[in-house]
Amino acid sequence: MERTGAYILLESLKREGVDILFGYPGGAVIDIYDELPRHPEIRHILTRHEQGAVHAADGYARASGKVGCCLVTSGPGATNTVTGIATAYADSIPLVVITGQVPTQLIGNDAFQEVDIVGITRPCTKHNFLVKDVKKLARTIRQAFYLARSGRPGPVLVDLPKDIVQATAEFLWPDDISMRSYNPTYKPNANQLRRAAELIAESQRPVLLCGGGVVMADAASEATALARKLRIPVTATLMGLGAFPATDELFLGMVGMHGTYAANLAINNADLVVCAGARFDDRVTGKIAAFAPKARIVHIDIDPTSIRKNVDVDIPVVGDCKLALAGILDICESKYAEKDWATQHALWLKDVASWKKSKPLSYEPSADGAIKPQEVIEALRELTRGDAIIATEVGQHQMWAAQYYEFTKPRTLLTSGGLGTMGYGFPAAIGAQLALPDKMVIAVAGDGSLQMNIQELATAVANKLPVKVIILNNRHLGMVRQWQELFYAGNYSSTNMEAQPDFVRLAEAYGAEGYRIERACDLLPELEKALSTPNPAFVDVRVEREENVYPIVPAGAALDEMLLV
């Protein structure tokens, strides 16, 4: 029996386990939307902007560990997804983005709402497809999901011309999928693991650096077991927060530009850095020539092109972080069964403990009852007992959330780490809430970032999603203002955001709840009230306007050249 391309697409999505499809309809995909009600297993979430759809699919993927999926129309619908696709690409998030396209015979004719989205997204997708034969549609969808979730995950785009969606063919679902030129390496080389274990056994001052790859590989328990067994202090990149419990005595905090004093000093004084699932980007390393100057480096990554891309390493380990960390621990436990790791690293642990104690994260509480943004994050941690999913926008609030929430579990921080996309957090929180309806999901936002995708409050209200948005409202583009203060002689050019909507009344206009908190004494009771409502809510917290994020490593400086409070 022959089926339309629209049917084949939706049946293929069901076979891939898609239960939620984020999207926005249009002429090029109207046949798919016509077919959609006949597939009730797929819940469609109508966002209010295509960028919101991609970010929501991204948040769904990060929180659940599944592939996120969204559907948009051609032309502007497709181009509106590009920032979301690039965001997912930078952070290795598995997405399948389906775009409509003009009919095949019109491609290249400057047809209405035609754009070469395959060409546009080639640099920011793991792979993309233009489907020209309906008989190949099911296999293409199978390949798209396989590529998105396997190896180093990433976004895959499938462009569907309207005539292909309308054409008919027999639905043939390939049970197995393989691609001749694509064979990611999961199992690490045993000899490399042995060499890594030998370096650890020789090391007196080791540090384990966890990146987002540990979270994405579900390797948090292996990283935790390795560090605790061998008594190795742990730091994490922004994307790696949650891979190791922040409340553990071995945890040093985040490393890098806004990393802690202890983490940055530990990297600079270590004789061995075992890096798992991170790519040593500039926000982590600071001045490359001065990064980990005394250390040998073991780099574990499933993507061989990430190894030695930014930093020279002594032992490269290509493979899955979960398998690699477990393999190293197995070797250490068998080959060095008699070794007293605690004694070997005792002096080193004493050093890092002294750094943690001497220069902890800190801020000066306001003397006049005003609210410090750090206090808000601490209050959220206290009220949620550290058990919420926190999505952030990008800016100062993002760094305060990273520093002060103390993430203890993987997949609980959703943030745009690589691309740094303002407007990401709120729709990502919506996606996470749909993936995990029983969890408390909080978007921590700045007043600038939130306004980039604020329209998605309609999506939250329409779907009765109890997402809470905590706005750290300083009436500035805070991070840019901070850089202007510190590095541009206080020239606050175009960073004043005093002209802004009344967020409380705006929330109420959408049908959500709105709260405003202006005094520190009201912070806990008002936040508790807002978090307890079953409805979506904006909480407008008026924080001190010119509070800065510390520590900060100036751009191009070494990690030990950080500015402290």
Side-chain angles (χ1 to χ4, degrees):
M1 181 180 180
E2 294 205 335
R3 300 285 193 173
T4 65
Y7 173 92
I8 292 171
L9 169 66
L10 295 172
E11 185 61 29
S12 299
L13 295 185
K14 287 189 292 187
R15 301 284 179 106
E16 289 293 347
V18 173
D19 55 353
I20 294 178
L21 177 64
F22 302 90
Y24 203 101
V29 290
I30 195 168
D31 293 274
I32 300 172
Y33 276 89
D34 184 62
E35 178 68 26
L36 192 56
R38 290 185 280 278
H39 299 261
E41 303 91 337
I42 299 175
R43 180 183 179 187
H44 180 265
I45 300 298
L46 175 63
T47 58
R48 296 315 190 256
H49 192 289
E50 290 89 350
Q51 185 179 350
V54 186
H55 289 327
D58 178 310
Y60 173 95
R62 295 192 201 220
S64 68
K66 302 177 184 175
V67 178
C69 189
C70 71
L71 169 65
V72 300
T73 193
S74 63
T79 55
N80 281 341
T81 67
V82 173
T83 296
I85 293 171
T87 301
Y89 184 73
D91 291 343
S92 305
I93 305 303
L95 295 184
V96 171
V97 178
I98 298 161
T99 52
Q101 184 55 276
V102 301
T104 308
Q105 68 273 18
L106 293 182
I107 292 177
N109 285 12
D110 295 335
F112 176 66
Q113 291 193 333
E114 181 197 358
V115 72
D116 178 13
I117 194 63
V118 169
I120 289 170
T121 59
R122 188 163 291 127
C124 61
T125 51
K126 187 173 177 181
H127 195 69
N128 58 22
F129 298 90
L130 171 62
V131 182
K132 293 183 177 180
D133 184 347
V134 68
K135 295 176 183 174
K136 298 180 179 177
L137 178 54
R139 174 169 292 276
T140 300
I141 297 299
R142 191 86 164 97
Q143 290 175 329
F145 277 81
Y146 172 63
L147 285 167
R149 67 166 66 97
S150 61
R152 178 178 180 175
V156 177
L157 183 138
V158 181
D159 200 25
L160 290 179
K162 186 166 183 172
D163 57 312
I164 299 300
V165 172
Q166 293 172 331
T168 60
E170 188 175 353
F171 177 71
L172 296 174
W173 181 249
D175 291 327
D176 297 315
I177 197 73
S178 64
M179 301 176 75
R180 189 169 53 183
S181 59
Y182 175 73
N183 295 293
T185 299
Y186 288 95
K187 186 178 179 181
N189 181 282
N191 191 49
Q192 295 300 87
L193 295 183
R194 178 186 56 76
R195 293 175 64 197
E198 288 172 356
L199 283 191
I200 293 174
E202 296 169 7
S203 169
Q204 301 297 312
R205 304 188 306 280
V207 173
L208 175 59
L209 169 58
C210 293
V214 175
V215 175
M216 294 306 296
D218 293 324
S221 59
E222 285 74 14
T224 302
L226 180 76
R228 287 177 173 167
K229 177 70 179 179
L230 307 185
R231 301 297 296 163
I232 298 176
V234 181
T235 184
T237 66
L238 174 65
M239 297 299 299
L241 292 175
F244 187 84
T247 50
D248 193 292
E249 62 173 350
L250 290 171
F251 191 63
L252 306 175
M254 186 170 67
V255 70
M257 178 173 280
H258 294 294
T260 65
Y261 179 78
N264 286 348
L265 251 61
I267 290 290
N268 264 29
N269 288 280
D271 64 358
L272 177 67
V273 174
V274 179
C275 173
R279 56 194 164 91
F280 294 113
D281 75 64
D282 58 299
R283 290 297 171 108
V284 166
T285 64
K287 184 180 180 182
I288 286 277
F291 178 75
K294 305 167 187 173
R296 290 179 289 184
I297 295 178
V298 175
H299 191 182
I300 303 165
D301 205 294
I302 198 162
D303 180 1
T305 66
S306 287
I307 296 177
R308 295 198 173 105
K309 185 174 185 177
N310 297 322
V311 171
D312 286 335
V313 304
D314 297 272
I315 308 293
V317 179
V318 178
D320 177 72
C321 283
K322 190 179 185 75
L323 296 176
L325 291 168
I328 291 172
L329 180 57
D330 282 347
I331 295 170
C332 289
E333 288 184 319
S334 57
K335 187 174 180 180
Y336 305 102
E338 304 302 320
K339 185 177 275 292
D340 183 346
W341 299 97
T343 299
Q344 179 165 325
H345 299 153
L347 291 177
W348 175 232
L349 290 173
K350 185 178 178 182
D351 285 343
V352 298
S354 71
W355 296 331
K356 286 174 68 174
K357 185 177 180 181
S358 65
K359 297 282 192 307
L361 291 171
S362 64
Y363 60 91
E364 290 291 332
S366 177
D368 61 0
I371 301 173
K372 288 294 183 90
Q374 300 93 327
E375 292 178 283
V376 182
I377 304 301
E378 290 179 330
L380 286 175
R381 186 185 70 214
E382 178 182 339
L383 291 170
T384 63
R385 297 181 177 84
D387 195 32
I389 292 176
I390 304 292
T392 80
E393 304 288 349
V394 167
Q396 287 182 309
H397 63 276
Q398 177 192 32
M399 292 300 117
W400 285 316
Q403 292 175 331
Y404 286 91
Y405 190 76
E406 295 187 347
F407 295 90
T408 58
K409 299 175 184 174
R411 301 191 182 279
T412 53
L413 172 61
L414 318 179
T415 194
S416 173
L419 196 65
T421 304
M422 295 171 69
Y424 166 82
F426 182 31
I430 289 173
Q433 188 73 82
L434 284 158
L436 302 170
D438 296 330
K439 294 289 291 186
M440 176 173 285
V441 179
I442 298 171
V444 176
D447 49 297
S449 284
L450 178 62
Q451 293 184 72
M452 288 199 172
N453 270 315
I454 200 167
Q455 77 286 341
E456 297 307 331
L457 184 55
T459 306
V461 171
N463 292 282
K464 298 181 171 55
L465 301 174
V467 173
K468 309 298 185 293
V469 181
I470 311 301
I471 309 166
L472 302 187
N473 188 347
N474 58 13
R475 286 82 73 203
H476 273 131
L477 294 175
M479 188 60 86
V480 184
R481 184 212 59 75
Q482 176 173 336
W483 278 54
Q484 289 172 333
E485 176 191 332
L486 297 178
F487 310 122
Y488 291 86
N491 180 18
Y492 293 172
S493 176
S494 301
T495 46
N496 190 323
M497 297 281 281
E498 285 182 300
Q500 61 181 205
D502 182 325
F503 290 108
V504 173
R505 294 174 65 188
L506 185 66
E508 292 169 351
Y510 271 102
E513 295 185 20
Y515 301 83
R516 178 169 294 115
I517 308 173
E518 297 180 288
R519 305 292 297 172
C521 60
D522 298 325
L523 185 58
L524 273 171
E526 286 298 305
L527 271 181
E528 187 172 24
K529 188 190 305 179
L531 295 181
S532 65
T533 176
N535 302 312
F538 279 180
V539 184
D540 180 12
V541 187
R542 299 299 181 102
V543 299
E544 284 203 353
R545 294 202 70 196
E546 298 194 4
E547 183 70 6
N548 287 338
V549 180
Y550 289 108
I552 176 172
V553 177
L559 291 185
D560 59 359
E561 297 178 290
M562 67 196 104
L563 306 179
L564 301 168
V565 176

